[in-house]
């Protein structure tokens, strides 16, 4: 059976996902026995987009409903971001009997309770590996590999933009504003970087990790959050003390309460987190049986994130063949 997917949003990650499914189709089939086909792509600006991979997609449209209503499509991939239209697309897809894969961390953190309840009621999968850690399979590890563990703590660097800025500030002795401007030119930071540098992006990701660890969605307003407006003097003082400043997200459970924090923290130079540099992410998970595990990899980027999207697609496809 061919498993057909429809991709909504042909931006950085959407393009990477279509490219991966098409260019690595033979490898995917060899490893999984699955024949996954991109049946359609929807994007409001689809007429402005063209590349070798999009040319091979039979249905190209500006209307997501065309994919959602298509009876031949098994899985909808939501990659437009935001919390408005994306909620409607995911909800409509689930109600139409489609399985859904998304990378939408903000939407999950804010409305995950509703969406997961809807997916459960419709007996459909809603999967979101790509919402945290880019290409790092951290959600799969929490859900599957560590299912026999009580999770004692999760701590890590989950925002590549902030890590890039702090890394260069330390190495080059340049101020925050200068490195941020460079990051924007290189595409590592948005034109409005507040979501990254003020810690919101990391907050959303830690909320998702907490949900998978403990089965409860924590409200955004209940998360302790401090941004990365760090001065060179603070970075130098930490270095003299044998430490390095990183924006660290943490999740911990005490009794029935779940505590999440995102804030700059000085970590020892010899620690694994101190070694995570540039746009990379690194996440430590501590389980009561396994002890400490550390996962590191590309926390963003077209193909790294697409790898995580495709992992979810293949997990769902494996139940449909």
């Amino acid at each position: 059976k061919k498993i057909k997917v429809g991709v909504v949003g042909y931006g950085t990650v959407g393009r990477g996902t279509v490219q991966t499914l098409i260019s690595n189709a033979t490898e995917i089939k060899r490893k999984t026995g699955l024949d996954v086909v991109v049946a359609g792509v929807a994007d409001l600006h689809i007429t402005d987009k063209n590349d070798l991979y999009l040319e091979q997609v039979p249905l190209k449209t500006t209307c997501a409903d065309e994919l959602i209503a298509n009876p031949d499509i098994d899985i909808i991939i939501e990659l437009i971001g935001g919390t408005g239209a994306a909620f409607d697309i995911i909800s409509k897809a689930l109600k139409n009997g489609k399985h859904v894969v998304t990378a939408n961390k903000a939407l999950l953190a804010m409305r995950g309770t509703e969406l997961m309840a809807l997916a459960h009621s419709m007996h459909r999968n809603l999967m979101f590996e790509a919402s945290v850690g880019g290409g790092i399979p951290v959600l799969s590890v929490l859900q599957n590999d560590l299912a026999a563990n009580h999770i004692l703590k999760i701590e890590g660097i989950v925002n590549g933009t902030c890590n890039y800025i702090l890394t260069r500030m330390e190495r080059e002795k340049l101020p925050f504003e200068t490195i941020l401007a460079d990051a924007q030119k290189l595409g590592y930071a948005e034109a409005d970087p507040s979501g990254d540098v003020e810690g919101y992006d990391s907050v959303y990701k830690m909320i998702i990790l907490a949900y998978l660890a403990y089965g409860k969605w924590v409200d955004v307003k209940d998360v302790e959050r401090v941004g990365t407006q760090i001065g060179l003097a603070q970075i130098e003082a930490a270095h003299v003390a044998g430490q390095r400043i990183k924006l660290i997200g943490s999740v911990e459970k005490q009794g029935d309460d779940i505590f999440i924090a995102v804030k700059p923290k000085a970590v020892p130079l010899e620690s694994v987190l101190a070694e995570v540099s540039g746009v990379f992410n690194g996440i430590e998970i501590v389980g009561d049986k396994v002890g400490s595990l550390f996962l590191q990899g590309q926390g963003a980027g077209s193909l790294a994130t697409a790898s995580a999207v495709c992992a979810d697609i293949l997990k769902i496809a494996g139940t449909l063949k």
Side-chain angles (χ1 to χ4, degrees):
K1 177 186 176 181
K2 290 183 185 294
I3 307 300
K4 296 187 177 181
V5 305
V7 178
V8 182
Y10 200 69
T12 302
V13 180
R15 187 167 56 252
T17 299
V18 172
Q19 177 182 336
T20 301
L21 289 173
I22 292 175
S23 65
N24 286 4
T26 302
E27 185 72 0
I28 289 169
K29 191 165 186 179
R30 182 183 71 81
K31 289 178 177 175
T32 66
L34 298 169
D35 195 358
V36 180
V37 177
V38 182
V41 171
D43 189 283
L44 290 175
H45 305 286
I46 196 71
T47 54
D48 300 328
K49 300 174 185 290
N50 190 37
D51 58 57
L52 172 66
Y53 301 102
L54 189 58
E55 287 178 0
Q56 299 176 58
V57 177
L59 173 60
K60 293 176 276 287
T61 176
T62 58
C63 181
D65 286 348
E66 279 194 54
L67 305 186
I68 293 168
N70 189 323
D72 293 332
I73 291 178
D74 304 289
I75 307 169
I76 294 292
I77 321 301
E78 182 279 306
L79 297 171
I80 65 170
T83 57
F87 179 84
D88 296 333
I89 287 167
I90 293 175
S91 299
K92 201 176 292 185
L94 291 169
K95 289 173 182 175
N96 272 268
K98 311 297 187 189
H99 301 278
V100 176
V101 174
T102 180
N104 198 326
K105 53 193 170 282
L107 179 59
L108 289 163
M110 293 178 185
R111 305 188 72 174
T113 303
E114 297 168 72
L115 290 173
M116 293 304 288
L118 177 58
H120 181 74
S121 70
M122 297 303 300
H123 306 288
R124 291 296 179 266
N125 291 293
L126 172 58
M127 302 188 75
F128 41 92
E129 180 67 67
S131 65
V132 182
I136 305 171
V138 61
L139 304 192
S140 179
V141 168
L142 270 174
Q143 273 185 304
N144 303 309
D145 304 284
L146 299 183
N149 284 252
H150 288 293
I151 303 302
L152 305 179
K153 184 179 74 169
I154 304 171
E155 185 174 63
I157 297 162
V158 293
N159 184 275
T161 300
C162 292
N163 204 45
Y164 173 83
I165 292 170
L166 292 171
T167 298
R168 281 194 58 193
M169 284 178 69
E170 181 186 6
R171 289 176 179 173
E172 301 173 33
K173 307 295 188 289
L174 292 172
F176 180 91
E177 293 75 16
T178 301
I179 305 300
L180 173 58
D182 271 0
Q184 288 171 315
K185 289 176 189 173
L186 293 166
Y188 294 146
E190 302 287 344
D192 176 5
S194 56
D196 292 315
V197 301
E198 292 178 15
Y200 290 104
D201 177 81
S202 297
V203 166
Y204 301 147
K205 292 170 180 176
M206 299 314 293
I207 287 172
I208 292 168
L209 291 173
Y211 167 71
L212 290 176
Y214 305 117
K216 179 182 176 184
W217 292 101
V218 175
D219 196 298
V220 171
K221 70 179 186 321
D222 294 329
V223 177
E224 181 185 358
R225 177 188 56 82
V226 180
T228 51
Q229 299 293 339
I230 302 296
L232 281 172
Q234 292 167 279
I235 287 177
E236 182 58 29
H239 190 75
V240 170
Q243 298 173 318
R244 181 167 287 142
I245 295 177
K246 298 288 187 183
L247 183 68
I248 302 291
S250 61
V251 176
E252 205 162 351
K253 190 177 184 187
Q254 297 176 12
D256 292 331
D257 296 321
I258 300 168
F259 296 95
I260 303 177
V262 171
K263 53 188 176 181
K265 182 178 176 182
V267 297
L269 288 174
E270 64 272 14
S271 68
V272 288
L273 284 175
E275 293 297 317
V276 180
S277 62
V279 294
F280 275 65
N281 285 190
I283 303 162
E284 181 185 19
I285 305 171
V286 182
D288 67 333
K289 305 305 180 191
V290 74
S292 174
L293 292 177
F294 188 72
L295 304 170
Q296 179 177 343
Q298 293 186 52
S302 175
L303 296 177
T305 308
S307 173
V309 172
C310 291
D312 279 345
I313 293 170
L314 296 177
K315 284 173 189 166
I316 294 171
T319 69
L320 302 178
K321 65 178 181 177

